[in-house]
Amino acid sequence: MKTRDIILAFGFGAVACYMLDTQMLASFNPMMWLTTIAQKVGVTFYPLIILSMWSLYSAYSQETFSPTTQGYIATTAQRIGLLGTVIGLVTATMAIGTNLSSGAAGAVSGALPAVGEALLSTAMGFVIALQCDFIIYLKLEKGHELHI
């Protein structure tokens, strides 16, 4: 793996961290980044991070590159991100229903963290899909032999 590719991979991580919290970029601590992102994205973080690692692994470990694998990872990441959206919206709706007795403002403010999780899950799925598209572009640009 070339230095440029490693920098690009960290660039995707930095963009994801910036979407979540700009103060996370001040300290270079990957474990803290992963823990904070997992807490903010919710339950779909784990399959999404596995898909992201699979994308990078398949891009750099094979002699012949398969865009089909990257395409599969991209569409699966988007679907899992949308599943996280549905889970977050269901959680938000349930929070509104249980907190309605405390007034409309209290009910909505109790549901906002779940809505945030929903949107971050979708964003993370899209970032992984963009990562896959970018890897396919880099491979095509370098003129790698493609087997479909």
Side-chain angles (χ1 to χ4, degrees):
M1 190 181 305
K2 294 183 179 180
T3 306
R4 179 187 83 161
D5 298 331
I6 294 171
I7 291 171
L8 289 173
F10 277 114
F12 278 109
V15 167
C17 290
Y18 182 76
M19 289 188 312
L20 298 174
D21 188 357
T22 55
Q23 294 178 356
M24 287 174 55
L25 293 175
S27 66
F28 184 75
N29 186 347
M31 289 309 293
M32 183 193 71
W33 286 5
L34 289 176
T35 304
T36 304
I37 292 170
Q39 291 171 349
K40 291 185 178 186
V41 171
V43 70
T44 57
F45 170 77
Y46 300 103
L48 287 172
I49 199 69
I50 289 169
L51 286 171
S52 179
M53 286 190 252
W54 182 22
S55 169
L56 292 172
Y57 174 78
S58 69
Y60 293 107
S61 68
Q62 300 173 356
E63 291 290 324
T64 58
F65 175 70
S66 170
T68 306
T69 303
Q70 292 295 323
Y72 172 77
I73 294 169
T75 57
T76 304
Q78 290 174 0
R79 289 176 182 157
I80 291 175
L82 290 174
L83 176 64
T85 301
V86 171
I87 291 170
L89 292 178
V90 167
T91 305
T93 304
M94 291 172 63
I96 289 173
T98 58
N99 295 330
L100 203 52
S101 61
S102 64
V108 170
S109 66
L112 286 179
V115 173
E117 275 185 17
L119 296 174
L120 289 174
S121 178
T122 304
M124 190 170 174
F126 287 150
V127 167
I128 293 169
L130 289 172
Q131 168 188 310
C132 292
D133 291 343
F134 190 66
I135 287 170
I136 292 170
Y137 169 76
L138 286 177
K139 294 289 186 171
L140 290 174
E141 182 184 77
K142 291 180 182 178
H144 281 271
E145 184 178 337
L146 300 178
H147 295 280
I148 299 176

